[in-house]
Amino acid sequence: MKQEQMKIWERFLKGLLVMTGILFIATGIGYLFRYLGFSEENIIIVYILGVLIIAIITVNRGWSVCYSLLSVLLFNFLFTEPRFTFFSYDYGYPVTFVTVFIAAVIVSNLTIQIRKQGYRAEQMALRTRILLETNQMLQKAKNADEMIEETARHLMRMMGKNVIYYRAEDGILSEPRFCMAEPGAAKMLYLQQRERQAAQWVFENRKRAGTGMDQYPDAHCLYLAIRNEDMVYGVIGIALEGMMMDVYEQNLILSILGECALALEKEGYNRKREEALAQAKNEQLRANLLRSISHDLRTPLTSISGNAGILLNSASALGEEKQKQLYKGIYDDSMWLINLVENLLSVTRIEDGRMDLRMSAELMDEVIAEAMRHTDRNRDGRKIEVSSDEEFILGKMDARLIVQVVINLVDNAVKYTPEGAQIRIHTGKKDGMVVVSVSDTGPGIPDEQKSKVFDMFYTGTNRAADGRRSLGLGLGLCRSIIRAHGGEIWVSDNKPQGAVFTFTLPA
């Protein structure tokens, strides 16, 4: 209270000194003009100019009115005949004095209004800049917690006050967090039961409470809700410690909290949309997987059961060559099913985030040789050539998974190339990475399909050479494994015909 009285006296003394000084200066200039022989009209203009200066320097309109009255009296007393009296020989002077006084008051009012308009325009520009900065800051935030935290930090910097904030989670306020303008300030002041009750009241009633308000006026902070029409996202407390904000500061803070609520609302919609899209995608994946499995397992299982039934019932009537052909059919179909199950299990581990990499340094020749042992019986007349730029190339990998990648790429090449086609596996090193390519001389892959061949369940338009449909898991699984190793995989055209699948691993 004493501080407020001191400020009032300081403003009064400042206004009095400014008015007295300008009156003294205007009177001195008036004497100078009289000495130089200037007319009385020029002296009147000097006093009116003083009104303008008073209106610009002081805030209170009373000083301009007081100056206008004193300037008219001084002009009458010092510069009109008879001098040093408040009388005048000219009967028109009273009208002149009244006119000058009214003109001075009007000029003063106009100047003060222009000054206020300029001040309001400056405030609007500042408010617009602050809201723009707030909007940009909120757009950079990654989630709701960061949005509320950045808003609290922004208010702390702007107000120079300690800020406490609560996040609303599942209909209740979380534990308070702080943005301290004074690092050494005692946080316990803002953790008292009274403060928590004020914040809870604001959360439940969607109104302001705390210092300066009717509700919880003894609180250390002014509490405001971060809300829109439908939901309260949190509560912000500003440690005013009994101080009052002006209307402009209140409106600015409410605008910032409104921007925060709008950003939180948008973030909630985006999160729900992403969850819905992810759920729809998962449902689509499950539907595609079940549809593909139910369709594609039927063919090899029917073949296996049919060949096994023939061997059980008529093995003695079949020649040795025919028996081997049936056994080979059973073996090929069972190996196809085993490879399918391995891919399905690997896809499941990747989707669940349970792919544990057991990294070690491995010779690429040994890894490719192990993969070839699993593909020997599936070549069906295709020629597979293995080459390397160096005798010993070591790669950092989980050998079990990379063997599966090579198997999938070779099986894919065998599946889509005719009998007698050539498949080449080449290993090299470039820029600290092992580079492995599997090329074939099949029909190749159209450009519009190259970006899709690594998507799960994408099978393309080319028909497999053996007539079987593919689940579209192999290449998608290869990409997941290679990326988990820190490498890349891509497809390009083989010259003059065919496709080349290339992947990299850390050397």
Side-chain angles (χ1 to χ4, degrees), residues 201-441:
W201 189 90
V202 170
F203 177 66
E204 294 174 355
N205 295 274
R206 304 157 67 93
K207 297 178 181 178
R208 283 178 276 181
T211 182
M213 299 289 111
D214 295 334
Q215 298 292 333
Y216 300 94
D218 55 339
H220 293 281
C221 298
L222 172 65
Y223 290 95
L224 306 101
I226 306 173
R227 66 178 182 87
N228 56 17
E229 295 181 358
D230 303 320
M231 184 178 296
V232 178
Y233 297 97
V235 174
I236 290 279
I238 304 173
L240 297 179
E241 305 294 350
M243 294 179 60
M244 297 297 294
M245 294 186 298
D246 58 30
V247 176
Y248 172 75
E249 289 176 328
Q250 293 179 24
N251 290 336
L252 184 57
I253 290 174
L254 291 176
S255 297
I256 291 174
L257 296 182
E259 285 286 330
C260 181
L262 187 63
L264 288 168
E265 182 180 13
K266 183 179 178 182
E267 188 271 341
Y269 286 148
N270 290 338
R271 185 176 66 253
K272 291 179 181 178
R273 183 182 64 183
E274 290 174 0
E275 291 174 355
L277 289 175
Q279 185 176 1
K281 183 179 179 181
N282 289 335
E283 292 298 328
Q284 185 64 37
L285 287 174
R286 291 190 186 97
N288 289 341
L289 183 60
L290 290 174
R291 185 171 57 252
S292 298
I293 288 176
S294 61
H295 183 279
D296 291 312
L297 291 185
R298 186 181 304 153
T299 300
L301 288 174
T302 301
S303 176
I304 290 172
S305 61
N307 290 340
I310 293 173
L311 289 171
L312 283 174
N313 297 323
S314 308
S316 58
L318 300 174
E320 184 178 351
E321 186 64 28
K322 185 62 176 178
Q323 288 183 11
K324 286 184 178 181
Q325 184 178 353
L326 294 175
Y327 285 134
K328 183 177 183 302
I330 293 174
Y331 179 83
D332 289 344
D333 288 329
S334 62
M335 289 302 297
W336 186 86
L337 289 173
I338 290 172
N339 189 49
L340 171 64
V341 171
E342 284 295 326
N343 283 340
L344 286 173
L345 291 175
S346 296
V347 168
T348 303
R349 286 193 292 269
I350 291 172
E351 292 294 324
D352 294 342
R354 294 185 290 106
M355 179 183 282
D356 296 325
L357 299 181
R358 302 170 186 173
M359 305 294 282
S360 61
E362 302 286 346
L363 274 173
M364 290 306 303
D365 287 346
E366 293 182 357
V367 172
I368 293 174
E370 177 66 21
M372 291 300 96
R373 281 194 287 273
H374 291 273
T375 59
D376 281 344
R377 294 182 180 272
N378 298 326
R379 297 181 184 181
D380 292 332
R382 281 80 169 175
K383 300 177 183 179
I384 299 180
E385 176 188 343
V386 179
S387 62
S388 178
D389 289 342
E390 301 178 21
E391 186 175 356
F392 299 105
I393 296 180
L394 284 171
K396 187 178 181 181
M397 70 186 83
D398 184 326
R400 173 180 54 88
L401 294 176
I402 299 304
V403 165
Q404 190 171 357
V405 170
V406 177
I407 290 173
N408 285 347
L409 292 178
V410 172
D411 284 347
N412 191 71
V414 170
K415 187 183 302 179
Y416 291 101
T417 56
E419 188 174 347
Q422 186 172 8
I423 300 170
R424 184 169 182 257
I425 305 173
H426 181 75
T427 307
K429 286 179 65 176
K430 184 178 181 181
D431 299 330
M433 302 291 285
V434 176
V435 183
V436 181
S437 62
V438 178
S439 58
D440 61 62
T441 56

Side-chain angles (χ1 to χ4, degrees), residues 13-240:
L13 290 175
K14 179 182 177 182
L16 181 62
L17 288 173
V18 169
M19 185 191 71
T20 304
I22 293 176
L23 271 175
F24 180 79
I25 293 172
T27 303
I29 295 174
Y31 269 108
L32 178 62
F33 282 6
R34 182 180 179 84
Y35 175 77
L36 295 174
F38 292 174
S39 65
E40 294 176 350
E41 288 79 4
N42 292 318
I43 300 174
I44 292 174
I45 294 298
V46 171
Y47 279 109
I48 292 178
L49 180 61
V51 174
L52 287 172
I53 297 173
I54 287 278
I56 292 172
I57 295 177
T58 62
V59 178
N60 195 331
R61 187 188 304 255
W63 293 116
S64 299
V65 175
C66 184
Y67 174 88
S68 300
L69 179 61
L70 290 175
S71 63
V72 169
L73 294 175
L74 278 174
F75 177 76
N76 183 19
F77 186 78
L78 298 174
F79 299 106
T80 61
E81 297 295 341
R83 295 177 63 195
F84 308 116
T85 68
F86 290 105
F87 297 100
S88 174
Y89 293 140
D90 190 342
Y91 293 107
Y93 266 126
V95 177
T96 303
F97 295 153
V98 172
T99 304
V100 170
F101 175 73
I102 294 174
V105 172
I106 292 174
V107 168
S108 171
N109 288 337
L110 290 175
T111 304
I112 291 174
Q113 288 179 9
I114 292 172
R115 181 180 177 183
K116 288 184 177 179
Q117 288 177 356
Y119 179 68
R120 284 195 293 267
E122 184 180 350
Q123 285 186 324
M124 286 298 296
L126 177 62
R127 177 180 177 180
T128 302
R129 181 173 63 82
I130 290 175
L131 292 180
L132 179 61
E133 291 176 355
T134 303
N135 185 267
Q136 292 174 343
M137 169 196 69
L138 292 172
Q139 287 181 355
K140 294 178 182 178
K142 298 178 181 177
N143 51 48
D145 284 330
E146 286 191 13
M147 288 179 183
I148 297 180
E149 181 181 356
E150 289 297 327
T151 301
R153 189 177 291 115
H154 195 57
L155 289 173
M156 180 267 292
R157 289 195 297 264
M158 186 181 73
M159 301 291 296
K161 302 291 183 182
N162 298 327
V163 174
I164 181 173
Y165 62 97
Y166 300 80
R167 167 85 190 281
E169 297 177 328
D170 299 326
I172 60 174
L173 289 182
S174 65
E175 290 301 312
R177 300 179 185 178
F178 299 90
C179 289
M180 306 299 286
E182 306 167 8
K187 294 182 180 179
M188 293 303 298
L189 288 175
Y190 313 118
L191 294 175
Q192 297 175 6
Q193 185 66 23
R194 193 67 173 167
E195 304 294 320
R196 177 76 187 203
Q197 290 173 351
Q200 185 66 34
W201 189 90
V202 170
F203 177 66
E204 294 174 355
N205 295 274
R206 304 157 67 93
K207 297 178 181 178
R208 283 178 276 181
T211 182
M213 299 289 111
D214 295 334
Q215 298 292 333
Y216 300 94
D218 55 339
H220 293 281
C221 298
L222 172 65
Y223 290 95
L224 306 101
I226 306 173
R227 66 178 182 87
N228 56 17
E229 295 181 358
D230 303 320
M231 184 178 296
V232 178
Y233 297 97
V235 174
I236 290 279
I238 304 173
L240 297 179

